[in-house]
């Protein structure tokens, strides 16, 4: 659709997809143009087709005891899958989540609580960040600050999952920039138990979970 | 209504209240009888009349940037009001929330994040609880364990808000029992900066916030 689409017309398009029985999943590609109310559009997606898991009711559902057949937001779900795939224990561990966004930090924290982690949510207003990160068994970086997490913040047994995707200047590249995470991978990689790279770490997991959610949405509605 | 009411009949009654323009707030008195699906009933309350703030969408809304005119669950809101009324700073402080329920622990944590606290959510599976509570500026007790928080868990500058209401045996009472919090008030009161009593601390605040929400619901819908 055109970038100049009106909010009403966009809502109408979402409505058509909501009603179309051949469509099982709807994803609103963010960010939307500034003249459109993002939350209003996200809330307009039919709950059962919200494969991104961004609808506030789907976020709120993460506070319930059972998550069966829920559409869980993709990036946090992908982080849990990564930890499980590498047999990294979550239950009873101290997990520090850097960032408190409604699309990563908060749903991530809720999923970790489901897995019995003790969760600390840090952010730009946290004082003495080190006192939290130094005691973490797992750190989830989702604050959008390029390479902010360095080895002085961590203990060497930590596992780092880096959700950040930041573009920084790089004159050696044709494009003039490259993508880095919130963790300083080069500085950390030999000083931690495990760390995900950016790009290539969490990103592909997010896409896989989006497909999984679409399948769940299809099963739930047919 | 009778305790033997069927789920369908209860949902029908909620429906009637949802549609009645003279009713601005609906509260489902929990717990419901075992044959009724609590979540199904809570989700049936019209969002705009959910003065308890227990509908998952209202919980999920707490992850959004702005809370204007939202129905925020009463007990967590009451705790924030108490802290504000006593000029206890929240921003940048380490707050430990004991308990991860969808009606207190989680919404409490989300409200504290809105106020820029660094929030750690502890629970029954937390290892080395002391390492968290000893470093807290504020502790919110909402775990339903009678008098579990004692002075060996805390530092003497801490502020304790006790949401717990537990019934313990007391043969000196006519009733045979009395109500106590999750914090051991007698043990703590001379060793902390501030602490709320049980009963008489958070309880009356919850009721006040319920009235406030009912007013907001009325204003929002008329």
């Amino acid at each position: 659709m055109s970038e100049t689409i009106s909010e009403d017309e966009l809502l109408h398009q979402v409505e058509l997809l909501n009603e179309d029985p051949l469509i099982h999943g709807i994803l609103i590609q963010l960010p939307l143009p500034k003249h459109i109310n993002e939350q209003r559009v996200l809330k307009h997606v039919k709950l059962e087709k919200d494969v991104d898991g961004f609808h506030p009711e789907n976020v709120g559902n993460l506070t319930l005891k059972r998550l069966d057949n829920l559409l869980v937001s993709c990036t946090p779900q992908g982080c849990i899958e990564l930890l499980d795939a590498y047999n990294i224990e979550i239950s009873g561990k101290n997990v520090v989540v850097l960032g408190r966004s409604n699309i990563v930090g908060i749903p991530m924290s809720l999923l970790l609580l489901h897995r019995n982690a003790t969760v600390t949510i840090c952010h730009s207003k946290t004082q003495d960040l080190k006192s939290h990160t130094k005691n973490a068994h797992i750190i989830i970086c989702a604050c959008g600050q390029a390479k902010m997490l360095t080895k002085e913040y961590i203990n060497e047994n930590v596992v780092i999952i880096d959700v950040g995707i930041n573009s920084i200047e790089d004159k050696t590249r044709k494009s003039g920039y490259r993508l880095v995470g919130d963790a300083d991978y080069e500085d950390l990689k030999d000083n931690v138990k495990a760390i995900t790279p950016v790009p290539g770490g969490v990103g592909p997991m997010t896409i896989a979970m989006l497909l999984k959610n679409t399948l769940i949405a299809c099963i739930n509605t047919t």
Side-chain angles (χ1 to χ4, degrees), chain A:
Chain A
M1 295 164 205
S2 156
E3 200 176 329
T4 58
I5 190 170
S6 72
E7 186 172 303
D8 281 347
E9 176 56 20
L10 180 57
L11 292 173
H12 176 65
Q13 292 297 331
V14 172
E15 194 63 34
L16 293 178
L17 296 168
N18 280 344
E19 300 309 321
D20 185 342
L22 292 176
I23 300 290
H24 297 109
I26 303 172
L27 175 158
I28 307 293
Q29 183 69 51
L30 302 179
L32 291 173
K34 286 209 173 104
H35 65 280
I36 292 176
N37 182 329
E38 203 165 278
Q39 274 307 318
R40 201 166 156 227
V41 178
L42 289 176
K43 281 197 190 185
H44 207 66
V45 174
K46 199 175 181 179
L47 266 185
E48 295 78 3
K49 298 187 178 188
D50 172 37
V51 287
D52 250 344
F54 285 177
H55 190 292
E57 182 164 340
N58 276 329
V59 177
N61 279 334
L62 301 182
T63 67
L64 303 179
K65 285 217 176 71
R66 298 179 66 93
L67 301 182
D68 323 354
N69 298 323
L70 285 184
L71 297 174
V72 175
S73 53
C74 302
T75 299
Q77 195 185 160
C79 295
I80 298 281
E81 289 278 334
L82 269 177
L83 291 168
D84 284 346
Y86 288 87
N87 292 312
I88 292 159
E89 202 179 344
I90 303 172
S91 181
K93 300 301 177 191
N94 293 340
V95 183
V96 168
V97 176
L98 301 180
R100 51 180 159 168
S101 74
N102 61 327
I103 58 179
V104 183
I106 304 287
M108 183 77 248
S109 302
L110 296 173
L111 289 188
L112 289 162
L113 285 171
H114 268 277
R115 297 293 296 272
N116 293 326
T118 298
V119 179
T120 300
I121 305 159
C122 296
H123 44 77
S124 55
K125 297 297 193 308
T126 292
Q127 293 168 5
D128 193 12
L129 179 60
K130 271 183 207 173
S131 71
H132 299 287
T133 51
K134 284 256 182 201
N135 290 313
H137 300 103
I138 301 169
I139 300 174
I140 315 278
C141 302
C143 56
Q145 299 292 318
K147 301 207 273 186
M148 65 81 65
L149 194 75
T150 54
K151 65 172 177 280
E152 69 212 58
Y153 282 94
I154 55 117
N155 73 72
E156 60 182 14
N157 285 313
V158 75
V159 171
I160 299 174
I161 305 279
D162 192 351
V163 178
I165 300 175
N166 310 286
S167 170
I168 61 167
E169 196 181 277
D170 183 347
K171 288 181 178 162
T172 70
R173 304 280 178 107
K174 210 169 160 184
S175 62
Y177 73 92
R178 68 189 164 98
L179 296 178
V180 297
D182 294 343
D184 189 336
Y185 187 81
E186 287 304 318
D187 187 57
L188 288 163
K189 71 180 169 37
D190 298 324
N191 298 285
V192 295
K193 194 164 149 192
I195 181 169
T196 61
V198 174
V202 172
M205 296 303 297
T206 299
I207 296 166
M209 296 305 112
L210 190 58
L211 292 174
K212 184 181 161 196
N213 275 353
T214 307
L215 185 63
I216 291 172
C218 173
I219 293 167
N220 284 351
T221 57
T222 51

